[in-house]
Amino acid sequence: MKLRFEDHGPLCVVQLEGELVGESSDSLRRACRERLEGGSRDFILDVSTTSGIDSAGLEALLELADAASERRGRCLIAGPETSLKTVLDITRVSDRLEIHDEVASATRVLR
């Protein structure tokens, strides 16, 4: 998995490319924790190029949402393909994380 970060003050847009599984989930946790400690509060996770996710990846998403919430921030998901959206719905992760079709619409919600 490749992670790319765009920092915009308290907002951090994270592009996740590839599969969010196993060790890559730990990489996401560590990198986002560093950004939280550096002052980021809100996260938009751009999953438009994420090809798969396992239980560790789902857990990482929920942990990030909780960590952002503790700092009075939010964590939004943007751009999931149909199969990923189905996984988020079936596992009820979508009940805890707001899902948007694209980064632009998620950004508007946070402004």
Side-chain angles (χ1 to χ4, degrees):
M1 160 141 296
K2 290 182 185 177
L3 300 173
R4 292 190 190 104
F5 296 88
E6 293 178 27
D7 296 304
H8 306 278
L11 170 61
C12 181
V13 178
V14 185
Q15 183 180 23
L16 293 79
E17 183 180 333
E19 293 186 333
L20 183 57
V21 297
E23 288 182 25
S24 65
S25 301
D26 293 333
S27 297
L28 176 65
R29 283 186 184 96
R30 281 190 303 275
C32 289
R33 198 172 312 129
E34 288 173 10
R35 282 179 167 67
L36 282 165
E37 291 168 2
S40 292
R41 183 186 69 217
D42 297 311
F43 289 86
I44 296 174
L45 304 177
D46 179 357
V47 297
S48 60
T49 57
T50 302
S51 56
I53 191 166
D54 68 1
S55 60
L58 294 169
E59 185 177 319
L61 297 179
L62 293 171
E63 286 177 15
L64 179 55
D66 290 343
S69 179
E70 288 172 6
R71 289 176 169 74
R72 300 186 193 274
R74 294 168 69 185
C75 181
L76 309 179
I77 303 289
E81 294 292 327
T82 303
S83 60
L84 180 56
K85 172 96 170 67
T86 300
V87 170
L88 296 173
D89 288 341
I90 289 171
T91 59
R92 304 184 83 187
V93 169
S94 60
D95 291 349
R96 299 222 1 239
L97 295 169
E98 200 172 311
I99 299 175
H100 293 267
D101 291 336
E102 56 188 29
V103 172
S105 64
T107 302
R108 284 191 293 276
V109 168
L110 294 174
R111 302 260 170 181

